[in-house]
Each structure stands twice: as structure tokens, then as C-alpha cells.
Amino acid sequence: MPDSTNTTEATLLEVRDITVEYVTQGQRFAAISDVSMDIAKGETLGLVGESGCGKSTTGRAIIQLPTPTAGSVKFEGRELTELTHTDMRPIRKRLQIIFQDPVSSLNPRRRVKDIVAEPLIISGMTNKAEIDAKVREVLNAVGMDPDITLDRRPHQFSGGQCQRICIARSLIMEPNLIVCDEPVSALDVSVQAQILNLLEDMKERYGLTLLFISHDLAVVKNISDRVAVMYLGKFCELASSERIYEAPAHPYTAGLMATIPEIGDKSIDNAMALTGEIPSPLNPPSGCRFRTRCPHAQEKCAAEEPAFSEIEPGHQVACHFPLLGE
Amino acid sequence: MAENAQTFRLLRLFPFFGKGNAAIASDRVKKSRKLGLVFWLAVSWLSLCLLATISTNFITFPDPLSQDYAALSAPWTMEHLMGTDNLGRNMFSRVIFGAATSFKIAFTSPFIGMGLGLILGMCAGYFRGRVDSTVSIFIDSILAFPNIVLAIAILFYAGANLTNLVLVIAFYTIPQFTRISRANTMLYAQREFVVAARAQGASHIRILFRELLPNVIVPVAAYSLLIMSFTIALEGTLSFLGVGLPPPDPTWGQMISEGVEELEEDAFISFVPAAFMFLTILSLNLMGDRLRQFTDVKASSA
Amino acid sequence: MQYFKLKLLHLIPVFFIVTFASFMMLNLLPGDLVDAILLDEESAPPTEEDRLALAKELNLDKPVIVRYALWLGNMLTGDLGRSYVTSQPVTEALWQRIPISLELMVMSQILAILISVPLGVMSGYYANSTFDRTISTGAFGLLAIPVFIAGTMLIWVFAIMLGWLPSSGHWAMEEDFWRNIEGFILPALTIGLVEVPVLMRVLRTDIITTLQEDYIALAKSKGMTTSYIMFHHALRPSSFSYVTLLGLQLGNLITGSIVVETLFSIPGVGQLLINSVDNRDEIMVQGVITFVALVYVGMNLAVDLMYAVLDPRVARRA
């Protein structure tokens, strides 16, 4: 199954069957289970799903915070799950993350210059002039004036500016992969576009690869080369951006598409619109996890869990009865 | 650990600084950015006392121990600024020298307690799990003795000297500092900047010192003023009971205790040190309360 | 049930820590233990026989852990040793004084309730009025008054200036009931008064919350009188934190009664402790401290369990 993904380009990140389990109220539950994906160098993989489906957990499992309970994460051919925090340190330079809440991800008691320089200092750089030059360079790159910014503290900036600072901080190590965990969800719509454009620019300028996590399909569509859809801790569909928006094969994806205003009334049946509550991840339904909300659910869906298999080249679906046809 | 039970258990030790005081504080918040006149009055009083105490090293005050037999229980004169006590000792000198004892304890004990409390509380709040339970057992053991009884016992058996007094009182400030440090650490440890630091490869030690400590220390330091007032009250109580520092060095508690015998003849012997003590504790409470509101507001808006 | 078991299990290490600490305190004494206990400025130097007898009684020839076990065994059978100053057994001295301290504590709690409930209810009802602000300011001031200063001031006002109440002394209840009560008023008021600010403010906050409930508006719309609403509808649902807090004042009560018994010359357990310290009566001090610490641990456990019974969420959260 994993080999069937599109691996013509050099694969940067290879995720195989990762599971993250938590213990809540004495009960173990899997926030994500058996998630697999490949990200090729230079591509942007979008990861969408409703809140609580495990998108962020997936993103954090990739950067080993925390290390997944099971499965393997290979980055640049190196297995990360076996590394200690210390061994991980040199790799973290090339594997960064940007969070949803830019205000919360900047320490309110530190100056911008210290925040942005922190990764350099952790990696052992001591030359003050060199650090300063680098900090100025990345701040310029994200469109912040270093002279005004350096000595201020985060609370003196707007949310969008804070997110720029966060991006600067992740860029300073010149990473290869950035996990963007809902980077624009907490921002005003007008600012969202600016940050998305900035991410696109930076991608080009620094040759980045992005894992772009969002609950907003419209945002993901524009920025991603391929899109993965998650439901209750599992992948249900993975395809190129065009295919998944044109011809969603999983009923859940189709349901999500129906929520996007522009396409909602065009090709997709309004009956597809999602109804019902998301089941508790503590006690997921048997068989297919989506069956409780699926308009096409049949007996087989309750009895047997569908495999995540390819229905056309580069298009994988976990459904017994995928929606086919144009 | 049951947060509520923990809080309430601490209330027994610091009845003023628990929920009751939090309620007082939250009601009084006017979201004002100014510290207010009362705050500065409190600062002035404390500075004045502190200055007077320090000046005893440079300016010669009348000897607080020498007795003026010509002026027993004398009224207020220029020679005896606040009169004399029943043994003819200069009240003003005595009260200033008494302040020295109170301040020595108020400025050392809370800082020893704060250091240990920060370490324990931050580790408990950051690592959680087993570290948290171990710290909680340690704190419970401290709290198993009612504070004053343990202080009396230690001073009685090990000797009533300044070092022992400072250490015993410091010991009793640990639980409160631990609790505030732990709560604030837990609050900040959930913020994404901690995960971000982790994602950059920062070690736990670096996160504790560089990311968490600068945030946690602010509310803890604001609290230390309230703890200072607690230490002054505890020292006073021990001196009053005659189990604190032994005579002849004057302390406020001791002076009040001596004055009780003379309450009918000359109430001022008790009143002067009592007023000093009251104003000092009140000033510290006012400052602490105000500063805490300040740091709370900042923490929530940042 | 899990919670109760957990709490009781927790008691075991605490019990051993407390008793061991109390036991070891004697060893903090500088110099030779026997000399430290027997040497006294006033009395004659101890004979060799006295020294040997004491060494035997304290089992000084045995290792520490055995001594602790023996001491613990004696303690559990009610033998805390005997004073070397008054020759009175420690337990006997304690039994004489416990009822007096108990009466003082109960009375102080009654007075604290009598003062704090009306003040709390009224300042909650008239929240942010001049009355409320005055009371708040007063409460904040009262917080800055340690028990011993409060006691001194009360003596000065009520015993010396007004001459209404005695400033010291204790009369047995069997002898003269009213004089007994009279003698307890000022001491109990001293302890109670210091607790008032905290209790009152907690009640005030909860009353303010309760008064915003719909059923209070309903009661008002039915035309019930304000005082009826306050005491029949608002007070009870607002009193949970108050009652809990009341149960948790034990540490203050102990501090308060030690101070007040010394100040007002009331022959309670606290005075016994302070007198024994003054007389350098090492064995008596150890006995009293052990007793007080154990009572404290036991009462705290009782309060925790009570709290869990009153509010089942506590047990579940643990």
C-alpha cells in the first residue's frame, strides 16, 4: 500500500503507520492511528479535517513532540522515532513548525531578537555579529523592519506580525520541511492572504517543503499540490489537489466539499452535506469510522474496516464504496 | 492531586492569601494601570522604616537597652522621641532596632523559600507525573505540622537564634511558593512557545530557565511581598510568646508582650510597636495585593 | 471509596514522618541528652543515679530505631513519658487541659460565625455600596493584625478602658458557669475576629453569585421580604465555600489558642506548651508537640473526607 504513492520525485519525509496514544481518565485512546504519507521535496501537502480529527497530532508526531507510540517517521532517509532529544537536535534545524496561535507561540517576556535568534543559539552559534546579521536577514525576508522590531516584545505586535516573526524564527535555520499547523486560522481574513502569500514566497526563496494543516478547505486548495483528508484519527483520502476537489471519492471528502460555498451548489449533491455529530475518539465506531454519518453506509461498513487503497494513480481512498465517475 | 484540596490545605497555612484574599483582590480590580496613592503611601512607609533601620549603622541612636531611671514610662519628649517604657528605655530606639529583626527575617526567609519553591514548583508543573506526586508528598509533610508548633519546637530544641529562626520561617514559606510556581508553570507550559522551543531542540533545563522562569517569576515575586508580611507576623508571634529571639535585643513582638503587663499604666509601651507592626504588614499586603493584580492582568492580556 | 482508601493510605507515611520528627526533636538538643534534660540552673546537680535512671527510661543504650519503636509503642498506649520538672505524666497534663482548649476553640468559631455571616450577607446584598466598601476596607485592615496584637487591643478596650470583661484568668465551669463563659469571651473573640475577614469575603463573593440566579428573581417577584430571601433562599446555596473554609481554619485555631491562652492566662494545651518551653521541660514539650501534630493530621484528614462527602467532585478528581 505505501509503495503505491507517487514517489517519482525525491521523498523528503516518509511516514509509515504512525499511531499516537494518550491516556485520559485511565483509558488509553489513539488520537491518530496508522497514518502514512510521503512528502516529496519541494511539494506542499495539505492536511484537512474537522477540529479534533488528529491533524495537529499528526503534525506534532512528525516533529517527534511527542514521539509516536508506534510506526516510523523517516526524514531525509533518517529514522526519527528512535532518536533521543539530543540526537534529534541537529535534525530539528531542517524540520521546523509554525503554530496556529502566533501570540501564544512567542514568549511574552522575551524580545523579538532573542526569540528569532533562539534556534541559532540552541544549535551552538556564539558569534554575536553573525547571529545579528542572520536575524536581520530573516526579519527582512518576512517583511518586518529589523530596526523597529528587534528590541520589542511580542505583545507590541498584531497577530499577523507575530506570525511573520514565527515564520522568521522557523526560517532562520534554513529548514527543508516546515509543518504549518493551521498557520492562518487565528488571523483575520485580510491578513490570512498576506501570510499565505508570504509562505508561498518563502517556499520559493528557501526551497521549502510544507505540510500545511488546516480545517479550511479553501485555504488548502490554493496552496497545496496534494491534499490528505483526515477523519477521527485516520486518513480517508489522499489525492492531488485538482482531483480531490473535482472528484472526491470518499463520502466524507464529498461532504466537506459541499461546505465550500463556490463549489457547493455546482457538482455535488446537497444531500452530501455533513450531518450528525463527530463520534468520540475515545470510542470510535467499528469498521469504517465515518459510517455513523455516511449517507451510503451499509452493513459491510460496520463489520469491516476499509483499507486505504489506490483507486487511480496517486489517489488513495479508505472506503468500501468510493464515489466514482465524473 | 486534587487541586482544590491542595489549595484548601494551603489555606490553613496562609489563610489570608488563599481564596479569601483572591476574592478580595478580584473584587478590587479596577483594571487601572496606575498603582494608586495608597500603594505609594505603603512604599513610603516601608522605605522610611528601612531607611531608619539602615541608618542605625551610621547615626548614633539612643541605646535601646540603656535605662533612664529619671524617666520611667515617660511621655514623648525630644530626648525620648516616643517616650520611654516602664524600665526607662528609649521607645523610639527600641522600635527601630526591633524593625531590624523583622526586616532581616522578612528579607531573607522568603527568598530562601522562594528559591526552593520555584525549583520544586516548576519541576512539578513542567514534568508532572511522578515528579509532581513526589513534590506533593514533600509539601504535605511540611504541612503536617501546624506552622507555629514546629517553629516553637525547632527553636526550643535547636536553640533560638537568628539563623534557626530564618530557616524555620523559610521552611514554612516553601509550600506557598511551590504552589504558585507550579500553577503558573502549568499555565505557561501549555503555551505553544514551549512546544516551539522544544521543536527547536531546546533542552528541558533551557526551557525551564529561558522560557518559563521569566514568566513564572513575575507572579511569584509579587506574591513574595505577601509572604514577607506573613513572616513578620510569624516572627512577631514567636517573640510575643517568648520563644523567638531571646532578650536583650528588642523585637516588636517582645516589646508588645512586655507592654501587656503595663497596659493599664502605660498603654503606649505596647501601642508603639503594635502600630509599627500593623503598618508594616498592612503596607506589604497592600503592595503585594496591588502588584499581584498587575501581574495577573498582564498575564491574561499577553 | 477509592478516594477514602487513598487518603487513609496517605495517612500512614505522614503518621510516621510526624511521629519520627517529634521523636527526633529531642536529639536536636545540644550536648549530652541526659545532661540537657536534668541540668537545671535552680536545682541541685543530678546524681549519678538520676542520670542512669533517665538513660534507662529513654533507652539510650539502644539504637535510635529501637528507641523510636519503643517510644511509639508507649505513645500508642497513652504513655508520653513524664515531666522532669513537675513529675507529672504528660498524658495526665494533656487530659486536664484539653477540655479548656476545646471550649475556647468552639466559642471562637461560634463568634466568628456570628460576626462573619451577617457582615458577609449584607455586604453581598449591598455589593459596592458605601457600606460594602467600608466593610471591605476594614477587613483588609484586619488582615494585617496578628492574633497577639488583636488580643492586646481587645484587652485594652474591653478590660481596661471599659472594664466590662476580665483580662485574664479562668474559672472552672462546674464552679461558676457564667464566670467561665465571661472569661472566655475576650479570648474567643480575639481568635474569631482574626478569621472574620476571610470568612466574610468568601461568603460575600458567593452571595453575589447566588443573587444573580433566576430563582432569587422569582422569589422577589413573589413579594417575599428581602431578609426572608437572603436567609432562606440565598444563604444556603452560598455557604459551601464558607463551610469548607470554616473547617480548614484548624491551623489558625491552634496558633490562635496558643497565643490567646498565653495572653489571657488560660490553662489550656497551648499554655502548657509555652510554660513547658519556659521551664525547659523537654519531655513535656515533646509530648505536647506530638499530641498537637497528631490531632492536626487527624483533623485535616477528617476535613478532607468531609469535603469529599459534601462535594463528590473532589473524590472523583483525585
Side-chain angles (χ1 to χ4, degrees):
Chain A
M1 165 193 81
D3 300 321
S4 55
T5 37
N6 185 0
T7 46
T8 46
E9 292 163 84
T11 307
L12 184 67
L13 182 80
E14 209 181 297
V15 176
R16 286 293 169 272
D17 301 321
I18 55 168
T19 298
V20 175
E21 283 182 342
Y22 288 113
V23 177
T24 315
Q25 293 151 10
Q27 202 185 347
R28 291 164 74 85
F29 86 98
I32 56 171
S33 40
D34 303 325
V35 168
S36 301
M37 67 178 114
D38 289 314
I39 304 180
K41 215 173 191 112
E43 84 164 330
T44 299
L45 178 68
L47 182 54
V48 293
E50 290 165 287
S51 24
C53 72
K55 311 180 293 272
S56 295
T57 311
T58 309
R60 294 198 183 185
I62 289 169
I63 61 160
Q64 309 296 306
L65 288 175
T67 302
T69 325
S72 115
V73 178
K74 265 189 190 158
F75 177 68
E76 298 174 330
R78 205 147 165 215
E79 180 59 52
L80 301 186
T81 52
E82 291 160 0
L83 298 178
T84 62
H85 187 71
T86 322
D87 292 337
M88 220 9 230
R89 202 164 291 153
I91 294 172
R92 290 197 187 279
K93 291 179 194 174
R94 302 189 300 279
L95 180 59
Q96 287 288 327
I97 184 162
I98 299 169
F99 295 101
Q100 171 173 7
D101 182 353
V103 179
S104 164
S105 39
L106 299 174
N107 189 334
R109 298 266 165 220
R110 303 187 74 184
R111 284 171 305 176
V112 168
K113 116 174 124 184
D114 298 323
I115 292 174
V116 177
E118 182 77 4
L120 293 175
I121 294 163
I122 290 171
S123 73
M125 194 185 269
T126 45
N127 186 330
K128 282 232 168 73
E130 214 175 311
I131 291 174
D132 192 58
K134 273 233 154 195
V135 170
R136 283 171 175 274
E137 185 204 312
V138 283
L139 281 175
N140 267 324
V142 298
M144 301 283 285
D145 183 349
D147 294 322
I148 305 171
T149 321
L150 283 175
D151 285 314
R152 298 204 178 172
R153 282 172 216 276
H155 64 91
Q156 290 168 293
F157 295 98
S158 69
Q161 289 171 316
C162 284
Q163 196 60 291
R164 285 172 191 269
I165 296 168
C166 290
I167 294 171
R169 170 174 62 183
S170 59
L171 287 175
I172 199 161
M173 297 308 296
E174 296 175 11
N176 291 337
L177 177 72
I178 299 185
V179 175
C180 305
D181 187 357
E182 306 236 19
V184 296
S185 309
L187 304 175
D188 290 345
V189 181
S190 57
V191 184
Q192 283 188 2
Q194 293 172 15
I195 297 294
L196 288 174
N197 286 336
L198 176 70
L199 279 172
E200 291 274 13
D201 292 348
M202 293 303 113
K203 194 185 160 189
E204 213 146 290
R205 181 164 168 180
Y206 289 90
L208 299 172
T209 305
L210 301 180
L211 173 63
F212 192 93
I213 300 168
S214 178
H215 64 269
D216 188 336
L217 286 150
V219 166
V220 169
K221 185 188 175 192
N222 292 327
I223 199 164
S224 309
D225 301 313
R226 288 190 300 147
V227 174
V229 180
M230 253 187 125
Y231 183 76
L232 273 185
K234 290 205 167 217
F235 272 17
C236 42
E237 190 163 5
L238 174 66
S240 69
S241 192
E242 302 86 53
R243 284 307 287 166
I244 212 160
Y245 284 87
E246 274 166 26
H250 196 286
Y252 177 61
T253 316
L256 282 180
M257 295 305 160
T259 62
I260 305 177
E262 306 102 323
I263 2 178
D265 41 15
K266 198 173 73 188
S267 61
I268 290 157
D269 194 345
N270 266 336
M272 291 305 304
L274 292 170
T275 53
E277 290 285 314
I278 307 178
S280 160
L282 281 172
N283 188 16
S286 65
C288 173
R289 296 191 169 195
F290 185 58
R291 70 178 164 83
T292 51
R293 296 168 75 192
C294 182
H296 310 293
Q298 297 178 27
E299 266 170 47
K300 190 184 177 191
C301 301
E304 202 180 307
E305 185 165 356
F308 193 53
S309 54
E310 202 160 53
I311 52 163
E312 56 181 321
H315 191 163
Q316 289 164 285
V317 175
C319 183
H320 292 304
F321 310 101
L323 310 166
L324 295 170
E326 297 300 297
Chain B
M1 138 171 36
E3 188 58 32
N4 252 342
Q6 173 81 358
T7 313
F8 276 123
R9 199 169 303 127
L10 279 148
L11 273 172
R12 282 171 230 156
L13 175 61
F14 290 92
F16 307 158
F17 310 144
K19 190 178 175 189
N21 207 40
I24 293 177
S26 62
D27 290 334
R28 294 165 134 250
V29 170
K30 284 183 198 131
K31 297 273 173 208
S32 151
R33 274 313 202 180
K34 279 188 182 164
L35 288 162
L37 176 70
V38 182
F39 178 87
W40 292 112
L41 280 176
V43 174
S44 319
W45 168 258
L46 287 175
S47 320
L48 214 67
C49 281
L50 209 59
L51 220 68
T53 319
I54 295 168
S55 70
T56 54
N57 295 320
F58 310 108
I59 307 168
T60 31
F61 276 71
D63 185 351
L65 300 180
S66 76
Q67 293 169 263
D68 184 349
Y69 295 106
L72 298 180
S73 295
W76 299 24
T77 59
M78 277 315 285
E79 189 193 351
H80 301 297
L81 258 183
M82 291 178 179
T84 60
D85 67 7
N86 56 322
L87 299 176
R89 294 176 296 192
N90 186 304
M91 288 289 286
F92 182 67
S93 288
R94 285 178 70 69
V95 103
I96 296 299
F97 277 86
T101 312
S102 292
F103 283 134
K104 268 179 209 159
I105 286 160
F107 282 109
T108 47
S109 295
F111 291 99
I112 299 173
M114 182 157 88
L116 290 169
L118 269 172
I119 295 171
L120 290 174
M122 286 183 69
C123 287
Y126 180 67
F127 294 112
R128 311 297 309 272
R130 201 165 293 165
V131 181
D132 201 1
S133 345
T134 314
V135 168
S136 131
I137 286 177
F138 174 67
I139 296 298
D140 279 357
S141 308
I142 296 184
L143 294 179
F145 282 96
N147 54 9
I148 191 142
V149 173
L150 186 71
I152 292 172
I154 303 269
L155 293 175
F156 174 61
Y157 288 112
N161 53 45
L162 192 62
T163 319
N164 285 347
L165 195 59
V166 165
L167 290 180
V168 161
I169 294 179
F171 190 63
Y172 260 97
T173 64
I174 295 175
Q176 188 68 359
F177 279 121
T178 305
R179 188 182 76 87
I180 314 159
S181 313
R182 177 176 174 273
N184 278 287
T185 305
M186 276 164 59
L187 184 77
Y188 284 104
Q190 289 166 356
R191 295 279 197 97
E192 278 162 342
F193 67 79
V194 173
V195 187
R198 217 44 204 152
Q200 287 150 14
S203 62
H204 289 308
I205 298 284
R206 190 175 174 87
I207 288 175
L208 282 169
F209 275 93
R210 301 303 295 269
E211 305 290 342
L212 292 171
L213 187 63
N215 288 293
V216 172
I217 196 127
V218 177
V220 171
Y223 233 98
S224 69
L225 285 168
L226 295 177
I227 304 242
M228 280 168 128
S229 86
F230 159 80
T231 61
I232 289 181
L234 183 56
E235 185 276 329
T237 307
L238 291 168
S239 288
F240 179 83
L241 291 173
V243 295
L245 289 185
D249 287 333
T251 66
W252 288 342
Q254 207 187 87
M255 291 174 72
I256 297 169
S257 163
E258 287 165 5
V260 170
E261 312 289 323
E262 305 293 321
L263 217 46
E264 224 161 320
E265 288 78 34
D266 185 1
F268 274 107
I269 301 175
S270 278
F271 281 9
V272 172
F276 268 74
M277 189 167 231
F278 169 70
L279 287 174
T280 306
I281 296 177
L282 185 68
S283 301
L284 285 168
N285 283 354
L286 279 168
M287 284 167 65
D289 204 46
R290 196 79 193 90
L291 281 185
R292 210 187 38 201
Q293 290 168 24
F294 246 61
T295 52
D296 280 357
V297 170
K298 245 184 198 158
S300 57
S301 72
Chain C
M1 256 353 265
Q2 194 61 36
Y3 178 76
F4 290 78
K5 253 188 232 158
L6 216 73
K7 276 282 159 195
L8 285 171
L9 270 176
H10 189 76
L11 189 66
I12 296 167
V14 171
F15 172 83
F16 282 107
I17 291 171
V18 166
T19 50
F20 190 69
S22 311
F23 170 75
M24 287 307 285
M25 269 169 199
L26 214 53
N27 291 17
L28 284 176
L29 284 170
D32 182 64
L33 196 56
V34 175
D35 281 342
I37 292 176
L38 286 182
L39 278 182
D40 208 326
E41 286 131 38
E42 286 120 52
S43 59
T47 62
E48 198 56 29
E49 278 162 47
D50 290 340
R51 295 174 52 95
L52 284 175
L54 180 62
K56 193 161 184 289
E57 187 163 337
L58 293 176
N59 296 307
L60 284 181
D61 50 332
K62 302 191 175 75
V64 170
I65 195 75
V66 177
R67 272 159 58 199
Y68 169 61
L70 289 169
W71 178 82
L72 197 64
N74 284 341
M75 191 197 77
L76 291 176
T77 57
D79 176 13
L80 281 163
R82 66 167 54 231
S83 160
Y84 274 81
V85 179
T86 61
S87 319
Q88 191 183 27
V90 174
T91 358
E92 191 188 295
L94 279 172
W95 277 121
Q96 286 169 0
R97 287 155 181 271
I98 290 169
I100 298 168
S101 291
L102 211 60
E103 190 184 349
L104 174 65
M105 289 184 181
V106 170
M107 262 187 79
S108 69
Q109 290 305 283
I110 292 173
L111 286 176
I113 294 170
L114 285 180
I115 300 170
S116 61
V117 168
L119 283 183
V121 169
M122 277 168 76
S123 46
Y125 185 76
Y126 298 108
N128 296 322
S129 65
T130 317
F131 171 80
D132 180 37
R133 286 211 201 99
T134 316
I135 294 290
S136 289
T137 313
F140 199 82
L142 204 53
L143 281 177
I145 304 183
V147 187
F148 66 97
I149 292 184
T152 309
M153 295 301 130
L154 287 177
I155 290 181
W156 186 70
V157 174
F158 290 102
I160 293 172
M161 298 308 286
L162 299 172
W164 290 353
L165 293 160
S167 68
S168 71
H170 168 76
W171 288 264
M173 200 179 244
E174 306 84 58
E175 259 173 53
D176 190 335
F177 180 76
W178 288 113
R179 285 195 85 174
N180 170 285
I181 297 290
E182 198 182 50
F184 270 122
I185 291 179
L186 273 188
L189 188 64
T190 307
I191 302 176
L193 209 56
V194 175
E195 284 178 27
V196 164
V198 182
L199 291 174
M200 187 210 97
R201 296 298 301 199
V202 166
L203 186 59
R204 173 187 179 273
T205 313
D206 287 355
I207 285 272
I208 292 175
T209 319
T210 310
L211 285 182
Q212 284 157 0
E213 301 280 344
D214 289 341
Y215 64 83
I216 299 289
L218 180 71
K220 270 187 203 159
S221 69
K222 280 183 182 170
M224 294 178 185
T225 62
T226 307
S227 64
Y228 186 86
I229 293 173
M230 291 312 288
F231 287 94
H232 286 83
H233 291 278
L235 188 56
R236 187 198 274 255
S238 314
S239 57
F240 179 71
S241 316
Y242 181 88
V243 171
T244 317
L245 204 60
L246 203 62
L248 294 166
Q249 295 289 331
L250 193 68
N252 294 347
L253 269 183
I254 290 175
T255 307
S257 61
I258 292 173
V259 169
V260 153
E261 285 171 14
T262 310
L263 180 59
F264 290 88
S265 321
I266 295 168
V269 178
Q271 196 203 36
L272 177 66
L273 177 64
I274 298 301
N275 283 350
S276 310
V277 168
D278 285 345
N279 297 335
R280 298 222 53 91
D281 190 346
E282 287 82 1
I283 304 285
M284 186 65 91
V285 171
Q286 184 192 31
V288 176
I289 283 170
T290 312
F291 171 77
V292 173
L294 285 182
V295 168
Y296 187 60
V297 169
M299 289 291 288
N300 280 344
L301 178 77
V303 168
D304 276 349
L305 296 185
M306 279 274 291
Y307 188 40
V309 171
L310 286 174
D311 186 0
R313 277 173 305 173
V314 173
R316 243 177 284 135
R317 222 176 291 136

